[in-house]
Amino acid sequence: MSGGAARRVGLSWAMASAVGSAFMAIPWKLANDVGTPAHSVFVLLVVAATGNTLLSMGQRLRGSARAGRIGLVDLGVAIGLAGFTLAGNHLAAVAVQEMSPSMMNLLLRSELPLTALAAWIVLGERVEGRFWIGTAIAMGGLVLLQGAPAGDVGALRVGAMGIAIASASCFGTLAVVTRAFIHKIDVVGVNAIRLWCAVALWFVFNDAEGIRHIPEAQWRYATMAALSGPFLGRLTLMISARTIEARLSSLVMLLAPVLTLVPAYLILEDWPTERQLLGGVVMLLGIAFPLLRTRR
């Protein structure tokens, strides 16, 4: 496969991940409307982990040369990814207590430049000027899309901002680690181990007694969210790391907030405002700018 063809394939996988993440937002909201968030997380993790395990078993039965053979590298990467995921979510939960959700979301998007810098230092992936210009445009569009957190910035503590950025660094590290080991691991098996580790950690921080009382509707909505996000969405994002740089995978994932506008309207009848539509267009322009190569 030529370099251009491989790049297009990788971008397609990343786009599929962004679509999955966008559609996850709707059933995820519905699941948390009918039950407690902790129980939604439990269903999400169990369904996604089970899906990855069954897929890995299916690949093994079909005689895949790599699937199902979990070695020390696979185990180490899976545990590392689980650790960074846990740390990122814990830091985000601490930081959001000191700021509005909109400000928290903006700070978490610092994952994009942090991923680019980390991949440059660790993996030697050169960052071109077009990427930084496109990132700036996309971030401006994100502010338009969800609204600037007026009056929030001045009141923020430096420590809270640092914790939020540390959370973004953990999430950005996921992309860099995946990119570094993508050709040495079984993606499906590693994702399954990562998710089962997360399930085990769930029991450490939550009471298992309430699992028996999870409403049927919450199971249904959380299952839909799990299949579109942590299962298919995360798998396709990891697969994209085979052919495109970590920073480009993270850049394409910025499409998720824009794409969420569509199912929000179709399912929840939540029509976006003019500002949100304008922000979506600006984000699309910013994301497209680094991806479109100049014709020779």
Side-chain angles (χ1 to χ4, degrees):
M1 185 183 297
S2 66
R7 177 186 173 90
R8 287 191 293 273
V9 170
L11 290 174
S12 298
W13 283 116
M15 177 71 73
S17 179
V19 172
S21 298
F23 278 86
M24 172 191 170
I26 306 304
W28 186 242
K29 171 180 170 53
L30 296 174
N32 289 302
D33 285 343
V34 299
T36 61
H39 290 160
S40 295
V41 171
F42 173 78
V43 177
L44 184 89
L45 293 173
V46 169
V47 171
T50 302
N52 277 272
T53 302
L54 293 175
L55 180 58
S56 181
M57 293 171 61
Q59 290 179 331
R60 182 69 169 172
L61 291 174
R62 289 198 306 268
S64 174
R66 186 69 183 87
R69 298 182 180 179
I70 303 299
L72 291 178
V73 175
D74 299 88
L75 188 60
V77 171
I79 294 175
L81 293 178
F84 282 115
T85 301
L86 177 64
N89 283 292
H90 177 72
L91 291 170
V94 172
V96 78
Q97 297 176 5
E98 302 289 337
M99 64 186 70
S100 67
S102 60
M103 186 63 193
M104 181 67 193
N105 195 32
L106 287 176
L107 288 175
L108 286 180
R109 295 289 74 78
S110 64
E111 170 192 346
L112 180 55
L114 291 173
T115 299
L117 290 173
W120 190 2
I121 296 171
V122 177
L123 305 177
E125 295 180 353
R126 186 178 62 86
V127 185
E128 66 280 2
R130 295 171 63 89
F131 174 83
W132 297 118
I133 297 174
T135 297
I137 296 173
M139 295 298 289
L142 180 63
V143 173
L144 283 174
L145 180 66
Q146 64 177 32
D152 195 24
V153 178
L156 280 181
R157 298 178 181 176
V158 175
M161 294 182 66
I163 293 174
I165 294 174
S167 174
S169 300
C170 289
F171 292 129
T173 303
L174 296 176
V176 177
V177 172
T178 302
R179 174 71 172 166
F181 293 95
I182 191 62
H183 297 293
K184 302 177 182 178
I185 61 173
D186 168 27
V187 173
V188 179
V190 165
N191 206 34
I193 296 173
R194 179 183 71 88
L195 288 165
W196 284 121
C197 287
V199 172
L201 289 171
W202 186 92
F203 284 99
V204 174
F205 297 100
N206 297 276
D207 183 9
E209 182 65 25
I211 294 176
R212 296 182 299 174
H213 307 293
I214 298 178
E216 180 183 348
Q218 188 175 16
W219 273 99
R220 183 170 60 254
Y221 291 133
T223 296
M224 295 170 59
L227 294 177
S228 58
F231 178 44
L232 294 176
R234 174 55 61 177
L235 273 182
T236 50
L237 183 63
M238 294 175 73
I239 293 172
S240 72
R242 291 175 177 168
T243 51
I244 62 174
E245 297 88 341
R247 69 182 183 281
L248 294 184
S249 296
S250 298
L251 179 66
V252 175
M253 284 303 295
L254 276 182
L255 283 171
V258 182
L259 297 176
T260 302
L261 297 176
V262 177
Y265 169 67
L266 295 177
I267 300 174
L268 303 179
E269 298 183 352
D270 183 12
W271 181 251
T273 64
E274 292 183 0
R275 191 198 72 242
Q276 289 175 320
L277 291 173
L278 177 60
V281 171
V282 173
M283 285 189 70
L284 290 176
L285 292 175
I287 294 168
F289 185 73
L291 302 180
L292 298 177
R293 291 183 172 179
T294 305
R295 296 182 61 184
R296 294 184 183 274

